[in-house]
Amino acid sequence: MSVLVVGSVALDNVRTPFGEVENALGGSCSYVSTAISYFSDPSIVGVVGQDFPQEHIELFKRRGINTAGLEVNEGGKTFHWTGYYEYDMNQAHTVDTQLNVFADFNPQVPADLRRSRCVMLGNLDPELQLKVLDQLESPELVMADTMNFWISSKRDALIEVIKRCDVMLMNDAEARQLCDTASLQQAAKQLMALGVKRVIIKKGEHGCLMFSNGNYFSAPAFPLEVVRDPTGAGDTFAGGFIGFLSRSTELSEDIYRQAVIVGTTMASFTVEKFSLDRLAHLEPAEITQRCAQLRRHTEFPQIEIDVRETANT
Amino acid sequence: MSVLVVGSVALDNVRTPFGEVENALGGSCSYVSTAISYFSDPSIVGVVGQDFPQEHIELFKRRGINTAGLEVNEGGKTFHWTGYYEYDMNQAHTVDTQLNVFADFNPQVPADLRRSRCVMLGNLDPELQLKVLDQLESPELVMADTMNFWISSKRDALIEVIKRCDVMLMNDAEARQLCDTASLQQAAKQLMALGVKRVIIKKGEHGCLMFSNGNYFSAPAFPLEVVRDPTGAGDTFAGGFIGFLSRSTELSEDIYRQAVIVGTTMASFTVEKFSLDRLAHLEPAEITQRCAQLRRHTEFPQIEIDVRETANT
């Protein structure tokens, strides 16, 4: 049940209406792998600099995350993102991005991980995502995330990634930008026409939509009175999703839907505190309770009703 | 199974990226009552001018809508709204509002309708909504809609309406404005603290949320590849919702949830064409099929999973 995760490991400065943190653990690899750790055995491939605190490595290890593929570049500094959120917590504003050692990231998948069955390609240069795919031996489930920057700057490589992965994850604005349509339905169709089997479109506080051939699933977000920091929500979703899937031998529509709900649940914890302050310290019962609540939030009995005919119109 | 509907009857000029119409039938009364007509017997209370085309009255009658309470003011012109939608179809832009005879609207509920069991107060001056309530004899289910204009200009009257109705309907921006919070959960709590039993928050393409004491229901919108004109979607939702409820003797949480799905379904037809061009000409099977589809779009099996403990953290 090993899941390979490739992506960024970062130190973030984040400010929201509810507070701020400096040099907090962040990056797609961190959120994805920590979410997976509640369900499966994550292995990460990423790079950090000499400034990366040992305590974060310790956290990864305590969560059972295999860090053999985490390169420590002693000559450089860790990827550093500075941003803030205002009243509209769906919108991240970037103040500064220092790629540092991430600028020369050349992901090397350790030999014993090249046969990983499940792979999550976090948001990074699609050319690097393709390089990772080239190192793998017939993975069963490849999932990829991306961002607006790659859509405009590396469109062809991104489309190649979409062709080669099984589940494509993007947010609503990205799907609209990539497919040049206001309709998320049309965007998902276009993406599937490229060859990807499943498309998940994240809509922040409005939940997400999952499209596949002949199936459509709409999942709400978990309702929270206070969202303190949305950073990492999408990555946490991806981790819960693929972590749940990696335990299943049969990947049916029902299992995929349950995986969406597990991902949604995990994301709801991340946003309740800054960084991984909540995600890294969950009790099993908290997770299963929210999954059950999401079912109660959406279920309704079949509707049997005699609708009246239209009279002479 | 009579449902009383009070609100505007209008002639609309609407432009969207998909076309435009002039002097098209509109107004909350028109959409609400037409949606109800598939399930129950609507009676409308409203006012039009001498310019109101007879063909629209004929349409109401063909749909079984009781127009005894529709006053025709021979000295004036019908309420006329001109607006447009751009790429973001969730946002209506008003170009011109001519209240005309609606400016002096003084709703008079015909004597035989004062015992109506179910009442929908469409978006109008909350002082008029209160006047209508004063004319009624112990209705079982009163539902009210409103808009941003009344939140800023007649806040006290609006709060009185909220106290006296059973189901309050508003969109997400209105709920945030009225309750001065970004959290829809907090907004719904505040509204229920005023005394209303149920709050439905409409989110356009993202569906709606229904709050009541101890219950929370999240419903998606029906997915459409093309939305031609969103005008009337919220009113159509209200009509399908209250029309379905009016047939039921027991108003349980399950029945309310089904009513939300019926309202969502009816609204999905309205937005597929301009004015009531689609809503007024539905086949029963179209309605029941979309209700069933919405269930398939949201259902997932209960999740049973052994979540791993957090190790020493």
Side-chain angles (χ1 to χ4, degrees), chain B residues 259-281:
Chain B
V260 165
I261 296 300
V262 171
T264 297
T265 295
M266 299 307 286
S268 75
F269 292 113
T270 286
V271 303
E272 286 188 305
K273 289 193 177 176
F274 284 83
S275 184
L276 283 78
D277 290 356
R278 180 101 167 88
L279 180 65
H281 309 282

Side-chain angles (χ1 to χ4, degrees), chain B residues 2-6 43-45 107-122 128-144 161 164-166 242:
Chain B
S2 170
V3 183
L4 179 66
V5 182
V6 185
S43 299
I44 58 177
V45 169
Q108 298 297 322
V109 180
D112 61 331
L113 296 175
R114 294 186 178 188
R115 293 186 180 202
S116 295
R117 182 177 160 244
C118 297
V119 180
M120 170 64 200
L121 303 173
L128 295 186
Q129 291 177 321
L130 292 171
K131 271 195 182 175
V132 172
L133 288 178
D134 289 339
Q135 296 172 55
L136 302 178
E137 294 176 25
S138 56
E140 273 179 52
L141 178 72
V142 175
M143 183 170 179
V161 170
R164 288 176 65 180
C165 72
D166 300 283
I242 202 165

Side-chain angles (χ1 to χ4, degrees), chain A residues 23-138:
Chain A
N23 289 307
L25 178 59
S28 59
C29 241
S30 310
Y31 288 104
V32 173
S33 61
T34 303
I36 291 172
S37 72
Y38 289 93
F39 309 100
S40 197
D41 302 310
S43 299
I44 58 177
V45 170
V47 61
V48 294
Q50 60 176 8
D51 58 340
F52 192 70
Q54 185 61 27
E55 59 172 310
H56 297 335
I57 307 264
E58 295 302 326
L59 172 67
F60 289 154
K61 289 188 172 158
R62 278 203 306 278
R63 291 288 337 147
I65 297 166
N66 174 5
T67 58
L70 181 65
E71 180 195 343
V72 182
N73 182 329
E74 295 293 351
K77 288 182 70 182
T78 303
F79 175 34
H80 197 115
W81 179 73
T82 301
Y84 65 92
Y85 300 83
E86 288 179 331
Y87 190 77
D88 175 6
M89 298 279 264
N90 280 326
Q91 183 63 48
H93 303 273
T94 292
V95 174
D96 187 34
T97 301
Q98 292 180 16
L99 291 174
N100 299 330
V101 296
F102 199 58
D104 302 314
F105 181 42
N106 184 18
Q108 297 299 322
V109 181
D112 61 330
L113 296 175
R114 295 186 177 185
R115 293 186 179 199
S116 295
R117 184 177 158 241
C118 296
V119 179
M120 171 64 198
L121 303 173
N123 164 35
L124 73 167
D125 185 337
E127 289 177 8
L128 296 185
Q129 291 178 321
L130 291 172
K131 271 196 183 174
V132 172
L133 288 178
D134 289 339
Q135 296 172 54
L136 302 178
E137 294 176 26
S138 57

Side-chain angles (χ1 to χ4, degrees), chain A residues 187-202:
Chain A
K189 264 195 187 177
Q190 283 186 39
L191 294 170
M192 288 191 288
L194 291 174
V196 66
K197 298 184 200 81
R198 233 163 242 276
V199 174
I200 297 179
I201 297 181
K202 300 172 285 179

Side-chain angles (χ1 to χ4, degrees), chain A residues 110-261:
Chain A
D112 61 330
L113 296 175
R114 295 186 177 185
R115 293 186 179 199
S116 295
R117 184 177 158 241
C118 296
V119 179
M120 171 64 198
L121 303 173
N123 164 35
L124 73 167
D125 185 337
E127 289 177 8
L128 296 185
Q129 291 178 321
L130 291 172
K131 271 196 183 174
V132 172
L133 288 178
D134 289 339
Q135 296 172 54
L136 302 178
E137 294 176 26
S138 57
E140 274 179 51
L141 179 73
V142 175
M143 183 171 179
D145 194 6
T146 192
M147 71 182 293
N148 51 6
F149 181 73
W150 308 120
I151 293 172
S152 47
S153 64
K154 299 245 175 138
R155 190 186 176 87
D156 291 348
L158 176 59
I159 285 174
E160 195 58 31
V161 170
I162 294 170
K163 285 180 183 176
R164 289 177 64 180
C165 72
D166 300 283
V167 181
M168 189 67 209
L169 195 64
M170 51 178 69
N171 73 32
D172 46 359
E174 290 158 1
R176 288 179 163 126
Q177 180 191 352
L178 179 62
C179 301
D180 194 25
T181 172
S183 161
L184 297 179
Q185 275 68 34
Q186 288 179 3
K189 264 195 187 177
Q190 283 186 39
L191 294 170
M192 288 191 288
L194 291 174
V196 66
K197 298 184 200 81
R198 233 163 242 276
V199 174
I200 297 179
I201 297 181
K202 300 172 285 179
K203 304 193 298 173
E205 65 163 323
H206 302 298
C208 71
L209 308 175
M210 177 168 67
F211 300 82
S212 65
N213 186 19
N215 279 301
Y216 172 77
F217 180 53
S218 174
F222 190 88
L224 295 168
E225 284 203 28
V226 176
V227 170
R228 282 194 184 75
D229 175 13
T231 309
D235 295 319
T236 307
F237 171 90
F241 178 85
I242 202 164
F244 180 85
L245 285 179
S246 73
R247 292 165 67 122
S248 190
T249 45
E250 181 218 4
L251 296 180
S252 64
E253 172 68 17
D254 271 352
I255 298 286
Y256 270 111
R257 289 181 174 209
Q258 290 179 314
V260 165
I261 296 301

